[in-house]
């Protein structure tokens, strides 16, 4: 038999390729798809760092190379395109050319290969970084609606490259009939995400700093800590990816939490979880990205009848405990 049983009888999605399966979200998504009875090919330039992949087949391929993308997307019904050269502000702010070059190649080659292989559904993992910087200059930012992306003026190369990826998918849909889905992810966090080495994002970095600090120490926070974001737990993200892929909304959809907090609040929550009562915050110079960002989930709710719901406190407990166990090794 070619594909596995799909629990919900969704015949369109039996054999699935997940690119970026060696990364944070891709790894969780593969796990979930396997639980649902799909046959899954994971593809990445590296193996998952922290736990073995559940994929039926895991291919080590550099998706900047067109032929590798053909191999990655052959004989599957659907592709979740999550591979990207990415990281937190400490990485993206210093590697504009590299990020643009690598991701433009990955996106275009993967999309064209999926088309040539006759893949019927394709989901592109875009980002909240597509939104214009001018709409995110205030910490008390108005939540961003999907239509706010234009006129386009993202802050950096990563955002431009994601916009390009979105447009490519839309043009392919119009010209070749590819069934494209686009999600704009807003700060996904959780266990098994990068927490050290320079590519980590704020929640993981803060959890690591707190876990490594002794009670009475201080932890460094970039900027004044009054910059705002919303944070979405990875299980909600995976649920959203599956719902969007199964759904029929052709345009971009935000996928994130709409509870906005300051970075100081985020750090305070992690410190509370750690139980280190005398840990303080020291503000230092560092890249901060936009001043404020939040997700407007109106269209997501209307389209899916669903939105992320894991409370930040609960997701942070799970994330902190995992990072604490890792740094304690
Ligand atoms: P991640 O860095 O953990 O995973 C991305 C994976 O892509 C990595 O495992 C990496 O090795 C792989 N990759 C990079 N270059 C490759 C290449 N040339 N060939 C094959 N694989 C390659 O990141 P993530 O957090 O899991 O993000 C997944 C997707 O979601 C990415 O497209 C990212 O841009 C997008 N996204 C994530 C967030 C977030 O908060 N995590 C926010 C917005 C968008």
């Amino acid at each position: 038999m070619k594909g596995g049983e799909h629990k919900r009888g969704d015949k369109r999605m039996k054999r699935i390729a997940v690119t970026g399966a060696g990364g944070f979200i891709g790894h969780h998504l593969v796990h979930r798809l396997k639980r649902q009875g799909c046959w899954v090919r994971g593809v990445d330039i590296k193996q998952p760092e922290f736990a073995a992949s559940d994929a039926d087949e895991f291919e080590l391929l550099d998706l900047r190379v067109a032929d590798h993308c053909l191999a990655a997307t052959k004989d599957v019904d659907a592709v979740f395109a999550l591979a990207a050269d990415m990281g937190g502000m400490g990485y993206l702010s210093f590697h504009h050319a590299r990020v643009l070059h690598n991701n433009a190649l990955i996106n275009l080659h993967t999309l064209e290969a999926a088309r040539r292989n006759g893949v019927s559904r394709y989901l592109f993992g875009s980002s909240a970084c597509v939104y214009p910087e001018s709409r995110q200059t205030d910490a008390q930012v108005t939540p961003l609606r999907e239509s706010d992306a234009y006129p386009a003026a993202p802050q950096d190369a990563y955002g431009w490259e994601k916009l390009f990826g979105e447009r490519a998918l839309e043009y392919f849909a119009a010209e070749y009939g590819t069934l494209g889905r686009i999600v704009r992810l807003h700060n996904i966090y959780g266990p098994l995400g990068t927490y050290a080495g320079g590519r980590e994002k704020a929640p993981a970095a803060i959890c690591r700093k707190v876990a490594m600090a002794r009670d009475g120490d201080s932890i460094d926070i970039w900027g004044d800590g009054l910059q705002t974001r919303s944070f979405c737990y990875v299980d909600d993200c995976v649920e959203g990816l599956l719902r969007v892929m199964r759904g029929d909304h052709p345009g971009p959809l935000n996928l994130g939490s709409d509870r906005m907090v300051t970075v100081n609040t985020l750090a305070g929550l992690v410190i509370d979880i750690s139980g280190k009562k005398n840990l303080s915050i020291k503000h230092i110079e560092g890249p901060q990205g936009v001043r404020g960002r939040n997700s407007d989930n109106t269209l997501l709710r209307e389209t899916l009848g669903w939105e992320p719901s894991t409370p930040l406190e609960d997701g942070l407990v799970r994330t902190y405990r995992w990072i604490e166990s890792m740094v304690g090794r």
Side-chain angles (χ1 to χ4, degrees):
M1 195 168 76
K2 205 176 171 192
E5 295 288 318
H6 195 282
K7 245 185 194 162
R8 300 182 186 178
D10 186 346
K11 294 191 172 61
R12 292 164 305 182
M13 293 219 316
K14 279 187 176 170
R15 290 178 63 90
I16 299 181
V18 176
T19 77
F24 169 47
I25 300 172
H27 182 82
H28 283 274
L29 177 62
V30 168
H31 178 73
R32 178 71 189 275
L33 287 167
K34 282 305 303 168
R35 271 189 15 222
Q36 292 195 350
C38 300
W39 182 94
V40 184
R41 176 185 300 128
V43 182
D44 204 294
I45 204 169
K46 66 168 176 67
Q47 290 282 349
E49 223 171 307
F50 308 113
S53 177
D54 292 331
D56 296 275
E57 206 174 273
F58 195 95
E59 301 281 350
L60 284 177
L61 294 168
D62 182 343
L63 297 174
R64 290 170 297 186
V65 180
D67 284 350
H68 292 188
C69 294
L70 279 171
T73 58
K74 73 172 189 301
D75 297 332
V76 293
D77 308 311
V79 171
F80 287 89
L82 300 179
D85 182 3
M86 65 93 69
M89 288 321 300
Y91 181 75
L92 296 177
S93 308
F94 298 105
H95 298 294
H96 298 288
R98 187 199 292 182
V99 165
L100 185 84
H101 177 251
N102 287 342
N103 291 338
L105 289 176
I106 292 171
N107 294 339
L108 213 46
H109 286 323
T110 309
L111 183 54
E112 168 65 1
R115 178 189 79 78
R116 286 172 61 184
N117 278 324
V119 170
S120 51
R121 281 185 176 244
Y122 190 100
L123 181 145
F124 175 57
S126 185
S127 168
C129 291
V130 299
Y131 290 110
E133 187 171 6
S134 58
R135 289 187 180 272
Q136 304 171 81
T137 52
D138 189 340
Q140 291 313 310
V141 64
T142 304
L144 294 155
R145 288 166 306 164
E146 287 77 357
S147 55
D148 291 334
Y150 294 97
Q155 186 182 50
D156 54 28
Y158 176 69
W160 282 109
E161 163 269 309
K162 288 293 189 191
L163 266 187
F164 172 74
E166 291 188 3
R167 292 309 281 243
L169 187 49
E170 286 168 349
Y171 288 129
F172 269 58
E175 192 164 340
Y176 304 124
T178 311
L179 272 181
R181 303 283 176 263
I182 298 166
V183 287
R184 292 180 181 157
L185 301 171
H186 288 246
N187 294 306
I188 313 303
Y189 72 99
L192 306 183
T194 302
Y195 62 88
R199 287 182 187 251
E200 63 277 19
K201 298 179 141 214
I206 291 171
C207 286
R208 185 200 71 233
K209 289 174 186 178
V210 171
M212 293 182 75
R214 281 172 311 195
D215 208 357
D217 284 356
S218 65
I219 59 155
D220 290 344
I221 296 286
W222 291 343
D224 61 11
L226 298 175
Q227 61 271 36
T228 51
R229 293 291 186 278
S230 68
F231 299 96
C232 174
Y233 190 61
V234 66
D235 288 357
D236 286 335
C237 170
V238 166
E239 179 66 30
L241 291 174
L242 294 172
R243 286 175 182 258
V244 173
M245 184 65 117
R246 283 195 297 261
D248 54 11
H249 186 77
L253 278 175
N254 285 331
L255 178 47
S257 161
D258 60 3
R259 175 180 168 197
M260 190 171 74
V261 297
T262 66
V263 170
N264 285 337
T265 300
L266 180 72
L269 289 172
V270 175
I271 291 171
D272 286 348
I273 291 164
S274 76
K276 298 178 184 178
K277 293 193 170 23
N278 298 308
L279 215 53
S280 57
I281 294 173
K282 185 174 159 201
H283 295 110
I284 62 163
E285 288 265 312
Q288 298 169 51
V290 294
R291 187 64 174 158
R293 175 178 292 153
N294 195 5
S295 175
D296 183 321
N297 286 350
T298 309
L299 190 57
L300 185 73
R301 276 192 299 270
E302 280 172 12
T303 307
L304 301 182
W306 171 92
E307 68 185 309
S309 60
T310 305
L312 182 57
E313 289 78 358
D314 295 357
L316 282 178
V317 168
R318 291 174 227 165
T319 309
Y320 180 76
R321 294 289 170 233
W322 178 74
I323 291 177
E324 186 185 38
S325 75
M326 295 302 289
V327 301
R329 283 182 174 193

